[in-house]
Amino acid sequence: MYTTAFLDIPPLRRAAGTVRLPGSKSISNRVLLLAALSAGRTEVHDLLDSDDTRVMLQALQQLGCTVQRLGPTTVAVQGLGGQLAQRQAQLFLGNAGTAMRPLTAALAVLAAQHGGVFELSGVPRMHERPIGDLVDALRLLGADVTYLGQDGYPPLRVQGPAALRLQAPIRVRGDVSSQFLTALLLALPLAAQHHPITVEVDGELISKPYVDITLKLLQRFGVAVQRDGWQRFTIPAGARYRTPGTVHVEGDASAASYFIAAGALAASDAALTIEGVGLASIQGDIAFADAARAMGAHIDGEANRLHVRRGAWPLRALDLDCNAIPDAAMTLAVMALYADGPCTLRNIGSWRVKETDRIAAMATELRKFGAVVEEGPDWLRVHPLGADGTGWRAASVYTYDDHRMAMCASLAAFNPARRPVRIQDPRCVAKTFPDYFETLWQVVQADPADIPVICIDGPSACGKGTLAAAVAQRLGYHVLDSGALYRLLGLAAQRAGVPTDDAALADAAVAERLAALAAQLPARFADGRIWLGDDDVTDEVRSQAAGAAASRVSALPAVRAALLQAQRAWRRLPGLVADGRDMGTVVFPDAPLKVYLTAGVAERARRRYEQLRARGEHASIDDLLAELQTRDARDRARSVAALKPAEDALLLDNTHQSIEQSVQTVLQWWQQRRPFAPDHGAGDAGSS
Ligand SMILES: Nc1ncnc2c1ncn2[C@@H]1O[C@H](COP(=O)(O)OP(=O)(O)OP(=O)(O)O)[C@@H](O)[C@H]1O
Ligand SMILES: Nc1ccn([C@H]2C[C@H](O)[C@@H](COP(=O)(O)O)O2)c(=O)n1
């Protein structure tokens, strides 16, 4: 997951391959609650691991459920069997509507029956998301619910005992959020031991497919709710939750929409396959596939899998009632940028009370790309940008702490004008899809020339590696420590019995053997460790001897040629910071930013001395100074890829700078080369 302040997505081209979706948020949180309310143990597989499920699990544990982690996406929940193990709890539910609404209803019923006091709160935005219709229904039922802040919004307190009035139908509004009805349907089986309970919906029920998911999951947990149209629901007398023992959570159909869109937008010779959700999905957002088809996408699939390819291009404009697919419909708003006419999304009033006011947010952010966007109380009209690239601007997208804004905006990176897209606060995807961007990189491609590289070259011990790692960390980029490759080669030579002293290297046969070793070098970098084949050689390669051997073998032209492609292969999405001696001059001559880093040799010797001392190694400063000078002289004098600044490099002498000062200098230089406005606030305009 990216925790950087922003993430720049280079222009994307191709989309093909296979993605595995994370579990559905809607199913995950419903199943967790149902498992907690049932008696016995429920094993939940393919559970979504995200902010929203984490707050639900945390709440259930506070309420006395035992939750056992069996794997990254598998938990076992020991249910409470309709009882209360704790009579008091303060539950923090983040911004998870799928936790706040059902837990409020379930705890209101349980507290009424068994007594107890429970407070439910969330992040500030959660306290702006309405819950009044649910509270009204619970109060009609006889539950004791108190607003702790503003009327109509969390935080809330529910308490009991209280006498529940179950004979008359319970009325709830269905036109603001279907989660209120879902919450009642999940809670009321707890009170239906002796009488049937009827819930009647006032107004037109929105997001019906989400209620359908609720009904299907209730059925799996032993409660068959009778549905009369979408206005009346009856929970039978004697209803009792029974765990099915094991539940597999479907992949998230809303999350599938981003990959369906990617497949529809990217010209590819192969299909993009989406696993975890398919034609037999119980999730309403699978209907997004029909909307994408209407826009021209070619989609086929099986029960649990979809295959998507680009069809009509530009996409066909559409005018759609999106009431049934409120979440996935956001993806259509971005696809509309690529259409052959204006697209209108109707009946999306619920967007206004989601993680943010999504109608306003979407309109504001799409305008940054250059689009004309009109909005109404419950509709959005997006006018397309040129399929030939005209009108597109590079935009820095504010994401409003809304995961879907971030994921949607990433799709603008397929723009034909090849403008990059900046996603501010990419971490917000943690709500439902923490690894969204990493998953995206697996199936999309950019032209290598469009993937940014920052080169940091310079003499030994000037701080290149430290600076490169810090800059990469701030930008979410990969790091290439090219010196480590030469160091690994020195080590591989030593292990293979190939001499690397100056005299031996003059022998053409030795040079040939070294080049052959370099071509097959089993180098691996993972989790901050460096591997040669199966051996973790992190400490060994950082030794002074390994540095000296690296300097010697790196002077051979055949060795450098053998390692060139391996280094260029590091140019991967979303970008790269490469440190070495010839990053800017030879390996990435087209890099948009090249830094030549220096520091006085005495200062470098002092830093190396301190570095070794911190590792428990002892050396004399004088020896280190001499060694650095020898190494630098050799690196500067060799016939190929000699150490020198690239002609277009910016010089940075950090002798008197702290690490952070150097990092800030490079980040400022980088920012100056980016086409985004420097202000990252909501509503800032992108520039072309
Ligand atoms: N600006 C700086 N101020 C003070 N110390 C620094 C600075 N930059 C780096 N250092 C320290 O200097 C030491 C050497 O840095 P680093 O290993 O990054 O250098 P390098 O150029 O990559 O070396 P090599 O060429 O041997 O790989 C580290 O201990 C690092 O923390
Ligand atoms: N791009 C590079 C990187 C390194 N080398 C050689 C020369 C260095 O002395 C040696 C070790 O590098 P370090 O790990 O200290 O950065 O490897 C090179 O020739 N080209």
Side-chain angles (χ1 to χ4, degrees):
M1 182 171 64
Y2 288 90
T3 53
T4 47
F6 58 83
L7 175 65
D8 289 354
I9 306 182
L12 301 176
R13 287 272 146 271
R14 199 168 169 272
T18 302
V19 280
R20 174 94 209 159
L21 294 172
S24 150
K25 174 188 70 163
S26 305
I27 298 178
S28 291
N29 269 356
R30 282 170 175 78
V31 164
L32 288 176
L33 182 61
L34 287 166
L37 297 177
S38 306
R41 183 176 189 270
T42 308
E43 229 174 76
V44 188
H45 294 264
D46 303 322
L47 184 75
L48 171 64
D49 182 15
S50 76
D51 286 354
D52 279 15
T53 51
R54 239 168 274 138
V55 291
M56 178 61 111
L57 281 166
Q58 170 69 30
L60 297 180
Q61 284 171 301
Q62 279 180 260
L63 293 170
C65 281
T66 310
V67 177
Q68 207 187 340
R69 268 232 170 256
L70 303 177
T73 58
T74 310
V75 297
V77 178
Q78 189 66 39
L80 298 172
Q83 301 300 311
L84 270 177
Q86 299 293 333
R87 296 285 150 98
Q88 223 175 347
Q90 296 199 325
L91 307 177
F92 174 78
L93 301 170
N95 199 5
T98 54
M100 175 62 79
R101 279 79 180 251
L103 276 169
T104 297
L107 288 172
V109 170
L110 288 170
Q113 292 175 319
H114 307 289
V117 185
F118 302 95
E119 289 184 4
L120 300 94
S121 65
V123 298
R125 174 64 187 168
M126 177 57 94
H127 297 173
E128 295 169 359
R129 296 176 69 183
I131 198 166
D133 295 333
L134 175 62
V135 171
D136 289 349
L138 291 169
R139 284 178 172 169
L140 271 178
L141 182 67
D144 186 346
V145 188
T146 314
Y147 294 115
L148 299 177
Q150 203 189 333
D151 274 10
Y153 301 88
L156 305 161
R157 181 188 305 122
V158 296
Q159 60 191 347
L164 294 180
R165 295 182 286 271
L166 300 164
Q167 275 76 13
I170 295 149
R171 305 196 68 84
V172 65
R173 270 183 65 179
D175 53 355
V176 173
S177 167
S178 65
Q179 283 184 14
F180 303 147
L181 173 61
T182 278
L184 289 172
L185 292 173
L186 292 172
L188 289 172
L190 297 168
Q193 290 92 341
H194 308 299
H195 309 281
I197 304 177
T198 300
V199 184
E200 288 181 355
V201 178
D202 284 339
E204 201 214 323
L205 180 64
I206 62 166
S207 312
K208 295 181 184 77
Y210 284 97
V211 175
D212 204 34
I213 295 179
T214 306
L215 297 178
K216 288 190 169 111
L217 292 176
L218 280 164
Q219 176 98 51
R220 287 218 64 195
F221 280 81
V223 175
V225 175
Q226 187 195 322
R227 173 169 79 76
D228 302 317
W230 291 99
Q231 299 306 126
R232 197 179 154 88
F233 300 81
T234 305
I235 296 154
R240 206 166 138 263
Y241 282 131
R242 283 189 304 276
T243 173
T246 301
V247 180
H248 288 265
V249 175
E250 262 189 28
D252 193 295
S254 315
S257 73
Y258 311 113
F259 295 98
I260 293 174
L265 294 174
S268 276
D269 39 10
L272 198 162
T273 296
I274 300 161
E275 287 191 337
V277 70
L279 303 177
S281 171
I282 63 166
Q283 298 168 73
D285 268 356
I286 197 65
F288 172 86
D290 298 330
R293 270 194 203 104
M295 293 188 84
H298 286 160
I299 304 173
D300 55 35
E302 299 106 61
N304 201 31
R305 190 175 292 123
L306 296 170
H307 310 285
V308 189
R309 298 174 79 122
R310 182 156 113 173
W313 194 255
L315 296 176
R316 289 190 288 267
L318 94 175
D319 185 325
L320 191 69
D321 181 327
C322 298
N323 185 277
I325 52 166
D327 286 349
M330 292 177 73
T331 311
L332 295 174
V334 188
M335 290 173 74
L337 297 174
Y338 303 87
D340 59 5
C343 292
T344 307
L345 310 180
R346 299 183 191 279
N347 212 351
I348 53 170
S350 65
W351 284 23
R352 298 244 181 236
V353 292
K354 297 281 183 155
E355 279 78 346
T356 185
D357 176 343
R358 285 175 166 172
I359 294 184
M362 188 62 83
T364 303
E365 301 309 313
L366 293 186
R367 284 181 192 126
K368 290 184 188 171
F369 292 105
V372 171
V373 184
E374 301 165 71
E375 63 171 289
D378 66 347
W379 58 267
L380 189 75
R381 184 170 301 119
V382 181
H383 295 255
L385 288 162
D388 59 353
T390 49
W392 282 91
R393 295 200 300 239
S396 174
V397 175
Y398 188 75
T399 48
Y400 307 81
D401 199 19
D402 184 346
H403 54 138
R404 299 206 185 282
M405 286 300 296
M407 295 189 278
C408 282
S410 69
L411 298 169
F414 287 103
N415 69 81
R418 299 165 77 114
R419 306 273 186 242
V421 175
R422 173 164 289 180
I423 309 288
Q424 297 176 40
D425 184 26
R427 193 207 166 279
C428 65
V429 300
K431 191 169 199 294
T432 52
F433 201 158
D435 293 333
Y436 171 72
F437 293 106
E438 292 85 342
T439 309
L440 186 67
W441 309 152
Q442 286 168 19
V443 289
V444 296
Q445 281 177 12
D447 289 344
D450 286 331
I451 299 177
V453 182
I454 300 175
C455 297
I456 302 179
D457 287 306
S460 302
C462 64
K464 302 178 300 294
T466 307
L467 179 61
V471 168
Q473 197 255 325
R474 307 287 168 97
L475 298 174
Y477 285 1
H478 302 280
V479 189
L480 167 60
D481 172 2
S482 62
L485 293 175
Y486 294 99
R487 288 170 183 260
L488 283 170
L489 178 60
L491 208 57
Q494 189 192 345
R495 292 184 176 188
V498 182
T500 60
D501 55 281
D502 284 331
L505 292 179
D507 180 344
V510 171
E512 210 174 298
R513 285 188 69 190
L514 282 169
L517 277 177
Q520 304 289 325
L521 195 67
R524 194 159 58 85
F525 301 81
D527 305 323
R529 311 298 298 174
I530 302 175
W531 299 77
L532 184 63
D534 292 334
D535 296 340
D536 181 342
V537 294
T538 314
D539 296 332
E540 219 175 324
V541 286
R542 297 306 336 157
S543 71
Q544 289 299 96
S551 176
R552 291 193 299 273
V553 297
S554 68
L556 297 174
V559 161
R560 300 202 78 84
L563 288 177
L564 189 61
Q565 281 320 316
Q567 293 173 84
R568 289 190 173 151
W570 277 80
R571 193 170 196 166
R572 295 196 300 258
L573 287 166
L576 177 68
V577 185
D579 97 72
R581 304 295 185 288
D582 62 341
M583 296 297 97
T585 50
V586 175
V587 182
F588 302 110
D590 63 336
L593 176 62
K594 298 173 188 173
V595 177
Y596 190 79
L597 187 68
T598 55
V601 70
E603 171 63 9
R604 290 191 279 127
R606 187 196 67 75
R607 290 177 187 173
R608 182 58 25 103
Y609 174 81
E610 294 298 339
Q611 197 178 27
L612 292 174
R613 213 161 62 102
R615 290 209 302 249
E617 294 172 38
H618 295 286
S620 95
I621 288 224
D622 291 342
D623 289 351
L624 288 172
L625 187 75
E627 218 174 291
L628 285 181
Q629 283 168 326
T630 309
R631 186 132 75 96
D632 291 347
R634 188 190 294 112
D635 294 346
R636 286 193 177 104
R638 67 188 175 214
S639 62
V640 282
L643 167 64
K644 63 175 181 190
E647 275 175 17
D648 50 350
L650 298 178
L651 303 187
L652 176 58
D653 183 335
N654 72 0
T655 310
H656 304 293
Q657 275 193 332
S658 68
I659 295 172
E660 186 55 27
Q661 283 170 326
S662 309
V663 171
Q664 286 307 323
T665 303
V666 173
L667 288 176
Q668 274 163 25
W669 285 341
W670 184 234
Q671 182 60 33
Q672 286 160 11
R673 280 165 166 68
R674 303 267 72 200
F676 309 112
D679 166 21
H680 305 322
D684 64 327
S687 54
S688 52

